[in-house]
Amino acid sequence: MAESKQNYLVAIHEGLSSQLDKQVAALPNDFNKQRFLQNCMTVLQDGADYSKCDPKTVVRTMLRAAYLGLDFFNKECYAIPYGNKCEFQMDYKGRIKLAKRYSSSPIKDIYAKVVREGDVFEEVIHDGVQTVSFKPMVFNNGEIIGAFAVCLKKDGSMTGAQ
């Protein structure tokens, strides 16, 4: 059984390494192949049971993370076994990383908050300038009545969504 798992991991490593070499133009400029391969192998050895997954789906999932420049160790994305397939899932941290990397206007910070009953949330646009005021009650376990996200740009502007 251990030899079978080892053969499985070797097949994935070789397939992934080969595909990374073929697709080098699609990878981010600062991509570190060796580090990425080591992270992938650690995820496959220490994570969920991938033994039932078709190795091609595992390689495809790992490649997707590579193309996007996301890191499994930083929990920016995940490789999740579903039956005989391995599926790619992006975490909110990965989405923030991509937004910061590809935004047409440099981003300073992105955050989201949950608004509960008793919290004070106010969104104001005054003279074309948008501001958000949020004052949560301390240790509030009230019913969730909404949520909002804010994207602060380096130029001082912001974008918000409720």
Side-chain angles (χ1 to χ4, degrees), residues 65-84:
Y67 296 148
L68 293 171
L70 299 179
D71 192 328
F72 292 104
F73 274 15
N74 289 338
K75 306 288 188 216
E76 295 167 349
C77 60
Y78 304 95
I80 302 175
Y82 289 111
N84 67 345

Side-chain angles (χ1 to χ4, degrees), residues 112-115 121 144-149 161-162:
K113 300 289 182 187
V114 171
V115 181
F121 172 82
I144 295 174
I145 57 173
F148 68 96
Q162 297 179 31

Side-chain angles (χ1 to χ4, degrees), residues 3-158:
E3 186 175 327
S4 152
K5 182 176 181 178
Q6 188 64 29
N7 291 341
Y8 180 78
L9 292 173
V10 167
I12 290 173
H13 186 278
E14 289 173 356
L16 185 55
S17 181
S18 171
Q19 288 299 315
L20 290 171
D21 289 341
K22 289 178 187 175
Q23 303 292 331
V24 70
L27 300 171
N29 292 336
D30 59 349
F31 185 76
N32 182 328
K33 178 184 170 186
Q34 187 63 34
R35 180 180 177 275
F36 183 78
L37 285 170
Q38 288 174 337
N39 284 355
C40 289
M41 292 302 104
T42 302
V43 165
L44 294 173
Q45 290 172 352
D46 297 342
D49 181 11
Y50 297 92
S51 64
K52 294 182 179 108
C53 296
D54 178 351
K56 290 178 185 176
T57 67
V58 176
V59 170
R60 189 173 30 237
T61 294
M62 300 296 176
L63 282 174
R64 188 162 178 200
Y67 296 148
L68 293 171
L70 299 179
D71 192 328
F72 292 104
F73 274 15
N74 289 338
K75 306 288 188 216
E76 295 167 349
C77 60
Y78 304 95
I80 302 175
Y82 289 111
N84 67 345
K85 294 182 180 178
C86 184
E87 299 286 334
F88 177 85
Q89 185 173 349
M90 194 180 323
D91 191 270
Y92 78 93
K93 291 175 279 230
R95 294 184 189 282
I96 289 172
K97 183 176 184 175
L98 293 178
K100 286 181 176 182
R101 181 182 297 152
Y102 295 111
S103 175
S104 58
S105 176
I107 295 174
K108 179 179 178 181
D109 193 16
I110 298 175
Y111 62 89
K113 300 289 182 187
V114 171
V115 181
R116 296 180 177 275
E117 214 169 78
D119 294 343
V120 178
F121 172 82
E122 184 178 53
E123 179 182 18
V124 178
I125 299 175
H126 183 71
D127 293 333
V129 177
Q130 180 182 14
T131 59
V132 171
S133 175
F134 178 58
K135 296 176 184 150
M137 285 179 41
V138 179
F139 305 115
N140 187 357
N141 287 328
E143 185 176 329
I144 295 174
I145 57 173
F148 68 96
V150 173
C151 176
L152 300 171
K153 308 279 180 86
K154 289 186 178 178
D155 66 6
S157 65
M158 69 175 264

